[in-house]
Amino acid sequence: MSTRSTAIARGVVIQVLAKFSALPLSMVTIGIATRYLGSNGYGVMATAVVFAQSFEAFTELGVGTIVVRRVTGHGGNLERLVGMNVSFSTLYALPLAIVAGVAGVGVYWGDPIQQGAVLVLAIGLIFTTISSCYEPVFDIKVRYSSAASAEFLSRVLTLSSAASVAYFDLGLLAMCAVQILPQALRLVIQWWGARRLTDIRWVVDWRAMGGLLKEAFPLTLISIIAVLYWRADGLILSILAPPEQVSGYYTALQIAFTLTLISSVFESSVLSTINETFNTDRPRFARAVDQGYRFLLLVGFPIAVIGWPLAHRMADLVGGKDGVGAFAGPPLQFFFIAVAMTFLSAIVSDGLIAAREQRYLTTMSTINLVVNCVGNIILVPLLGAVACGIMLLVTETIGVTMSQWRLRRHGVHPLPFGYLLRLVPAGALALGAIWLTEDLPLIVPLAAGGIAYFGGALLVGAIPASMRTALLGALRPRSLDRLEAEAARAGEQEGLGVAPSGPVVGPFVDPDGVPTGLDADTTVLPETARVPGSRAAADALDAETTQLKPAAMAASGRNGGRRDPSGNSDVTDLPTMELDLAALQTIRMRQQGKYVDLRVIRRR
């Protein structure tokens, strides 16, 4: 079991546990808000939230994905790229919030209550814009404790604030203000967590930032289309249906799509690996996507199976049987199935982006957006909020099918339908457990269905040994530290002094053309270099580390580095090793078929 696999598994487990532990808090918060505001008032707040969130496409602009791709696949410097994004986003956030607020005033002209709600919620765009800059740090380092803490603490803050608003009867606008508190807290915690992992400072380089934005432009289009895709149905519903239907739609959306945290956490955790392996190891890229299919099918299938029969009871519990819950139950059933489909769309979208298929993804997303809007315009007058669930399910199915077909061009296998069939007996066991416990409190059939499903999946072999090993390794205390220590001891036996991480040194010309530090993916070796004390030749190293970059050679001339005319030199003779008094350099080696990050210390 590699350190990287365990790190990814641990990242998923930490975030999922944190978010699921916060899920009951979120449901209680929704219950307080729906009962305090009523179906009409909650519909006003839901409309404002949907409108403000329509501008979230402009908060990140796809730059975070480009940062991950540059660092993992092209040797970009993480600190510099994130610093540029932070400086730009901080200046950009306030104008974005103003534009959203002014647009809301214009759209809801003549409705001062709705206008005020939009203005309050537009402030949250400032916090979201800046906090998104720090996410690439967690994705690349595969460390998510700060993100998990932000999720849990924000739910606690929201619950306590919503209860205070209801208790002191502060009104609709105060309840709207509660909705932006999690965004503010998340910004503070993610800033603190990112600073612990790496040194991030403002970097003002408008030319380089322009290059980032240009490279991210296709992803920006995809993001805009995706946000419109998720919000257009709510906006159409608010125009063609009464506020009660909007309140039911938003409540159902909050309940069901909280579960997408599993796919989003998994997606962010494997993002750097998928981008890296596409550039360096295509078979490994295909295996990563295939394993993603299986894991997301495993955890997505029970959401549809368990969610459909229990949807009405969940809606009644959260929104009240005679209140918002009466309108939320029917669309919630379809939303649960749609959520299961979004699990697959997350992994195929990541694969297409890594494969530089942004144009295809943009075209496909645009088609889905048009189909979604047209279908909702036709069905909403007839079916109300249920129409949104039906069209979401239809378009998600189209998107997954077309994306997976395109990925086959890059060596990715078709969707494992045989694996899906193996999950059917586990789903049947879950339905049986729900039927036997349906008269008990809701938590009992939920737990019984989940236990029966995963127990059945284990019995039929749907949870393979590799997946069990990775998950158990993620749950084992300090497993990452132990694996890194073992890698360090193995390096010592080969005559290397190693550490699992450390500062980078030496000038390197990154894709922006700016000298910066070498990192694990940008270090270079002469073609015939050997590791001291090792019998392994240079061809045992990764392909990405077996060529000497001109920039590093030029640096050696400026710094008096030694070079062996014969070309037969070891790591201590590398020109870059003379660039720092501590003579530290980071190389990336393949050791026993696994990736291990090593920091080599020259021995005198």
Side-chain angles (χ1 to χ4, degrees):
M1 179 180 59
S2 67
T3 305
R4 183 73 177 184
S5 299
T6 304
I8 292 173
R10 173 172 285 186
V12 174
V13 169
I14 287 175
Q15 294 189 85
V16 168
L17 289 178
K19 294 188 178 186
F20 265 117
S21 63
L23 183 58
L25 303 178
S26 179
M27 296 300 102
V28 173
T29 303
I30 296 173
I32 292 173
T34 54
R35 286 165 173 78
Y36 174 66
L37 297 176
S39 57
N40 186 69
Y42 193 74
V44 171
M45 188 183 79
T47 300
V49 170
V50 170
F51 183 86
Q53 288 179 344
S54 300
F55 287 83
E56 287 189 356
F58 302 98
T59 59
E60 199 263 343
L61 300 177
V63 174
T65 302
I66 298 301
V67 170
V68 173
R69 190 164 73 186
R70 281 197 181 186
V71 173
T72 58
H74 302 285
N77 182 270
L78 175 63
E79 292 78 8
R80 175 177 174 76
L81 292 172
V82 173
M84 286 193 302
N85 195 18
V86 169
S87 60
F88 171 78
S89 297
T90 303
L91 299 176
Y92 167 76
L94 181 59
L96 175 63
I98 293 174
V99 169
V102 171
V105 171
V107 170
Y108 300 107
W109 189 261
D111 189 346
I113 297 177
Q114 189 69 72
Q115 289 173 330
V118 171
L119 288 172
V120 170
L121 287 162
I123 298 173
L125 295 172
I126 298 175
F127 308 126
T128 302
T129 301
I130 302 174
S131 65
S132 67
C133 300
Y134 298 103
E135 292 175 1
V137 176
F138 307 117
D139 292 339
I140 292 171
K141 301 290 186 179
V142 199
R143 295 292 188 270
Y144 294 100
S145 58
S146 297
S149 300
E151 180 66 28
F152 182 79
L153 293 177
S154 65
R155 299 295 184 183
V156 174
L157 179 62
T158 304
L159 173 58
S160 58
S161 301
S164 299
V165 169
Y167 181 80
F168 293 105
D169 193 19
L170 299 179
L172 173 63
L173 294 183
M175 190 63 76
C176 291
V178 169
Q179 310 307 309
I180 67 175
L181 291 179
Q183 296 160 300
L185 182 62
R186 188 174 295 113
L187 169 59
V188 173
I189 295 178
Q190 289 194 343
W191 169 82
W192 176 77
R195 290 292 298 270
R196 292 182 61 196
L197 293 174
T198 188
D199 184 22
I200 297 178
R201 301 177 181 177
W202 271 39
V203 177
V204 180
D205 188 338
W206 300 119
R207 182 178 180 181
M209 189 64 206
L212 271 179
L213 292 172
K214 182 178 179 180
E215 187 176 350
F217 182 70
L219 300 182
T220 303
L221 291 179
I222 293 172
S223 178
I224 292 172
I225 293 170
V227 170
L228 291 177
Y229 168 74
W230 287 108
R231 305 305 175 198
D233 54 356
L235 292 175
I236 293 172
L237 184 69
S238 67
I239 295 172
L240 301 179
E244 290 80 6
Q245 287 290 327
V246 180
S247 65
Y249 157 84
Y250 186 67
T251 302
L253 198 71
Q254 290 286 93
I255 296 172
F257 280 84
T258 301
L259 299 173
T260 58
L261 63 92
I262 301 174
S263 60
S264 64
V265 166
F266 182 83
E267 179 186 14
S268 62
S269 299
V270 302
L271 178 61
S272 59
T273 299
I274 288 177
N275 278 275
E276 179 182 9
T277 53
F278 182 82
N279 290 286
T280 61
D281 192 341
R282 292 295 177 86
R284 189 171 170 231
F285 165 78
R287 289 196 302 271
V289 176
D290 183 67
Q291 290 168 2
Y293 286 158
R294 294 171 188 274
F295 175 78
L296 293 173
L297 281 171
L298 174 68
V299 297
F301 188 69
I303 293 176
V305 172
I306 298 174
W308 180 275
L310 297 178
H312 286 277
R313 293 185 64 181
M314 294 182 193
D316 292 343
L317 179 65
V318 173
K321 189 173 183 179
D322 298 322
V324 176
F327 301 97
L332 183 57
Q333 291 181 301
F334 290 94
F335 281 163
F336 276 131
I337 302 177
V339 164
M341 290 299 302
T342 63
F343 279 31
L344 292 176
S345 66
I347 189 69
V348 295
S349 297
D350 269 359
L352 287 176
I353 291 172
R356 310 296 191 273
E357 292 281 5
Q358 291 96 325
R359 180 176 297 180
Y360 178 83
L361 188 59
T362 302
T363 302
M364 184 189 65
S365 300
T366 303
I367 294 172
N368 263 348
L369 173 62
V370 173
V371 172
N372 191 26
C373 290
V374 172
N376 275 294
I377 291 173
I378 295 173
L379 295 179
V380 161
L382 300 175
L383 303 176
V386 172
C388 301
I390 293 174
M391 290 311 304
L392 185 59
L393 179 57
V394 170
T395 51
E396 282 297 303
T397 303
I398 294 173
V400 169
T401 302
M402 299 305 297
S403 297
Q404 193 274 332
W405 173 80
R406 187 73 170 189
L407 279 174
R408 295 183 65 178
R409 299 177 55 181
H410 301 282
V412 177
H413 298 299
L415 283 172
F417 290 106
Y419 180 77
L420 181 60
L421 290 176
R422 294 174 65 183
L423 297 176
V424 172
L429 286 176
L431 289 175
I434 292 173
W435 178 73
L436 292 173
T437 58
E438 63 179 348
D439 294 330
L440 299 175
L442 179 61
I443 188 64
V444 177
L446 276 174
I451 294 171
Y453 171 79
F454 285 104
L458 188 62
L459 289 175
V460 300
I463 307 179
S466 58
M467 189 182 298
R468 293 198 305 269
T469 302
L471 291 174
L472 290 175
L475 293 171
R476 191 176 299 124
R478 300 182 61 81
S479 59
L480 292 182
D481 298 335
R482 184 161 52 252
L483 284 172
E484 289 177 337
E486 291 172 359
R489 288 194 295 272
E492 288 290 353
Q493 294 171 3
E494 295 293 328
L496 298 176
V498 298
S501 60
V504 294
V505 299
F508 172 75
V509 180
D510 70 8
D512 300 323
V514 181
T516 182
L518 286 169
D519 59 25
D521 291 333
T522 60
T523 307
V524 292
L525 294 173
E527 191 167 330
T528 57
R530 291 179 181 271
V531 178
S534 173
R535 296 183 297 275
D539 57 4
L541 302 175
D542 287 347
E544 62 192 295
T545 65
T546 57
Q547 295 179 354
L548 185 60
K549 296 283 182 69
M553 293 295 292
S556 69
R558 292 192 300 272
N559 292 275
R562 303 189 306 274
R563 277 203 290 171
D564 186 351
S566 66
N568 294 321
S569 59
D570 64 10
V571 175
T572 64
D573 291 323
L574 276 175
T576 52
M577 298 305 290
E578 298 292 336
L579 301 178
D580 188 87
L581 292 177
L584 300 179
Q585 189 53 286
T586 304
I587 66 174
R588 189 157 193 224
M589 303 177 59
R590 187 185 299 272
Q591 188 175 73
Q592 299 176 349
K594 300 176 182 178
Y595 283 107
V596 181
D597 289 334
L598 304 176
R599 188 177 68 185
V600 177
I601 305 175
R602 185 179 58 184
R603 302 190 186 282
R604 297 186 181 277

